[in-house]
Amino acid sequence: MEKHKLATRVGEIAPFQVMVVLTKAKQLAAQGEDVIHLEVGEPDFVAVDAVAAAGVDAIQQGNTGYTAATGLPELKQAISDDYQQRYDVHVSPERIIVTPGASGALLLMASLMANAGEEVLMPDPCYPCNRHFLIQTGVKAKLVETRSEDGFEMDLNTLSDHWNDNTSGLWLASPSNPTGAVLSKAYLTQAWQEVQALGGHLLVDEIYQGLVYEGDDFSALSIADDIFVINSFSKYFAMTGWRLGWLVVPEWAIEGATKLAQNLFISAPTVSQYAAVRAFQPDVLAECEARRQILNARRLALLAGLKRIGLPVVAPAQGAFYVYVDVSSVTKDAMAWCLDLLETEKVALTPGADFGMKDAHKYVRFAYTCDESRLEEALARIARFIAA
Ligand SMILES: Cc1ncc(COP(=O)(O)O)c(C=O)c1O
């Protein structure tokens, strides 16, 4: 056997291009440069104090062993109650599988629903790890072309053209990373009808749920119990490093998902689970709502600023904390432009190539994860860079 030979699938996984930007940004910061970070998909808030305190409490009380594989019963109940209260949808706690982040839920989903050799459809652009989780299980991600004129929404009327005997399902996200676009209930209802007619599964990644500024903030679970839904404490609750998310499965998939969760993870992080039980109390939700309003003010400032400096926003930025921007009027290569901008003006953005294949060199993603004055400063620097 050849020595030092990695599995073939490793070669199929693309590294994040933004890491090149991030490494460069860190070098510049280490040299004392004032870098404005608009590249990382992570809130600039931390867990609400009461939630963090519940985590500390769990450690002090020795609540640190494994939990049940699908999660602490009180957390599953709290998530179920929250679906009822905030989204008016009944989801029994048994259908909720608590996972290490939405990442764990995506890996679980890839293992649960697709056979090796099959394909899963998703729009181009989308969250890049989706396709990599599928590769782990020998499944192929098939990116379906979308048009900027449609806000990068997949045309459902042509879904059957992309579907074949080997297609297992369709994965969508709302609000979307990288565009921030929110899918309407009518759109998701049609997606579900089409997928059912074609005989596959539908997954909706709702990790940015709650961070909606325009359009409906609803759950796909209100459309049908047989839709799979992913969520996480990373974004709305600003708990990225606590590594906690969940997957909602239909009744008929509970047993299979439980077996997989036992084997893949044993359980999600215990301290984080105890902390997260506290997240659904009214005081914490009120704090999260106040943060949503801060994010919305930033979003509006960024959209106005981009208009001012003549960079078109190519998808309706209605949710999450992203804006997807067309930079083709100022460069032929968004990645090179990002590096040049960083070097010259110390503003870090994410190149479109991290999210899609088609025309990705035209786009960059802004994350409005810094306060408004820094956003304004970033816009002024970008304007100067373009004018130079
Ligand atoms: C659309 C989407 N899904 C899933 C994830 C994974 O999130 P986590 O594992 O932190 O819950 C991310 C992270 O940015 C994301 O943007």
Side-chain angles (χ1 to χ4, degrees), residues 41 101-103 106 127 177 205 207-208 232 234-235 240 243 322:
S103 304
L106 283 162
Y127 180 57
N177 178 6
D205 182 341
I207 181 172
Y208 295 96
S232 169
S234 287
K235 312 291 176 165
T240 44
R243 308 307 305 129
Y322 305 122

Side-chain angles (χ1 to χ4, degrees), residues 41-42 99-106 126-130 133 172-178 205-208 230-235 239-241 243-246 321-322 355 365:
E42 173 166 57
T99 54
S103 304
L106 283 162
C126 69
Y127 180 57
C129 303
N130 285 355
F133 284 120
L172 298 172
S174 180
S176 148
N177 178 6
D205 182 341
E206 297 185 345
I207 181 172
Y208 295 96
I230 277 176
N231 212 320
S232 169
F233 289 91
S234 287
K235 312 291 176 165
M239 295 173 69
T240 44
R243 308 307 305 129
L244 200 62
W246 69 91
F321 32 71
Y322 305 122
F355 309 102
R365 187 193 73 179

Side-chain angles (χ1 to χ4, degrees), residues 83 89-92 95-97 109 112-113 156 168-174 183-197 200-206 209 218-231 246-254 257:
Y83 272 121
V89 48
H90 175 71
V91 181
S92 72
R95 291 174 53 208
I96 296 164
I97 316 288
M109 185 64 197
L112 184 68
M113 287 307 294
L156 293 173
S168 167
L170 170 67
W171 289 15
L172 298 172
S174 180
L183 298 173
S184 70
K185 194 160 183 178
Y187 181 93
L188 277 177
T189 304
Q190 188 190 346
W192 175 235
Q193 284 161 354
E194 302 280 344
V195 166
Q196 263 185 306
H201 72 266
L202 174 64
L203 170 70
V204 185
D205 182 341
E206 297 185 345
Q209 186 170 57
F218 66 99
S219 172
L221 294 164
S222 63
I223 297 169
D225 286 343
D226 278 352
I227 297 177
F228 291 82
V229 162
I230 277 176
N231 212 320
W246 69 91
L247 171 67
V248 180
V249 301
E251 295 279 349
W252 50 264
I254 296 173

Side-chain angles (χ1 to χ4, degrees), residues 67-385:
T67 65
T70 63
L72 267 185
E74 52 268 53
L75 178 58
K76 287 155 62 104
Q77 187 63 54
I79 295 171
S80 163
D81 292 346
D82 189 60
Y83 272 121
Q84 191 68 62
Q85 277 152 24
R86 280 198 297 155
Y87 296 102
D88 195 22
V89 48
H90 175 71
V91 181
S92 72
E94 294 73 38
R95 291 174 53 208
I96 296 164
I97 316 288
V98 178
T99 54
S103 304
L106 283 162
L107 182 61
L108 184 58
M109 185 64 197
S111 311
L112 184 68
M113 287 307 294
N115 291 305
E118 287 181 339
E119 291 178 351
V120 167
L121 304 182
M122 58 194 71
D124 177 357
C126 69
Y127 180 57
C129 303
N130 285 355
R131 47 186 187 269
H132 301 150
F133 284 120
L134 289 163
I135 288 171
Q136 293 306 309
T137 42
V139 181
K140 193 172 161 243
K142 189 163 156 190
L143 294 185
V144 175
E145 274 191 18
T146 59
R147 304 184 326 151
S148 59
E149 302 89 289
D150 301 331
F152 298 103
E153 238 175 44
M154 189 189 283
D155 179 359
L156 293 173
N157 298 320
T158 61
L159 187 66
S160 56
D161 300 345
H162 303 284
W163 203 280
N164 60 42
D165 292 345
N166 247 346
T167 311
S168 167
L170 170 67
W171 289 15
L172 298 172
S174 180
S176 148
N177 178 6
T179 66
V182 172
L183 298 173
S184 70
K185 194 160 183 178
Y187 181 93
L188 277 177
T189 304
Q190 188 190 346
W192 175 235
Q193 284 161 354
E194 302 280 344
V195 166
Q196 263 185 306
L198 292 159
H201 72 266
L202 174 64
L203 170 70
V204 185
D205 182 341
E206 297 185 345
I207 181 172
Y208 295 96
Q209 186 170 57
L211 297 175
V212 173
Y213 319 102
E214 283 173 48
D216 261 1
D217 185 17
F218 66 99
S219 172
L221 294 164
S222 63
I223 297 169
D225 286 343
D226 278 352
I227 297 177
F228 291 82
V229 162
I230 277 176
N231 212 320
S232 169
F233 289 91
S234 287
K235 312 291 176 165
Y236 185 68
F237 292 106
M239 295 173 69
T240 44
W242 297 72
R243 308 307 305 129
L244 200 62
W246 69 91
L247 171 67
V248 180
V249 301
E251 295 279 349
W252 50 264
I254 296 173
E255 203 185 315
T258 304
K259 268 195 300 193
L260 283 171
Q262 286 163 352
N263 283 279
L264 289 175
F265 315 123
I266 303 188
S267 68
T270 302
V271 171
S272 307
Q273 292 192 62
Y274 278 99
V277 175
R278 184 69 178 80
F280 297 103
Q281 296 296 315
D283 58 332
V284 176
L285 292 176
E287 174 70 31
C288 293
E289 169 57 19
R291 292 170 170 189
R292 187 187 70 86
Q293 288 179 19
I294 292 170
L295 285 168
N296 190 29
R298 293 176 185 175
R299 177 183 77 101
L300 295 172
L302 179 60
L303 290 175
L306 287 166
K307 197 166 177 192
R308 209 167 51 234
I309 67 173
L311 289 181
V313 173
V314 276
Q318 302 156 310
F321 32 71
Y322 305 122
V323 175
Y324 209 46
V325 173
D326 184 346
V327 288
S328 62
S329 63
V330 292
T331 182
K332 286 190 166 34
D333 179 351
M335 176 64 187
W337 189 80
C338 284
L339 287 172
D340 213 7
L341 173 70
L342 179 60
E343 187 75 47
T344 318
E345 290 291 352
K346 322 294 182 268
V347 177
L349 300 172
T350 302
D354 266 346
F355 309 102
M357 307 289 175
K358 187 180 168 248
D359 293 339
H361 59 277
K362 285 186 176 178
Y363 305 114
V364 295
R365 187 193 73 179
F366 284 66
Y368 39 97
T369 47
C370 63
D371 66 34
E372 260 181 84
S373 62
R374 295 291 279 169
L375 277 179
E376 293 297 352
E377 169 66 20
L379 287 161
R381 292 187 194 182
I382 295 170
R384 190 167 57 201
F385 179 69

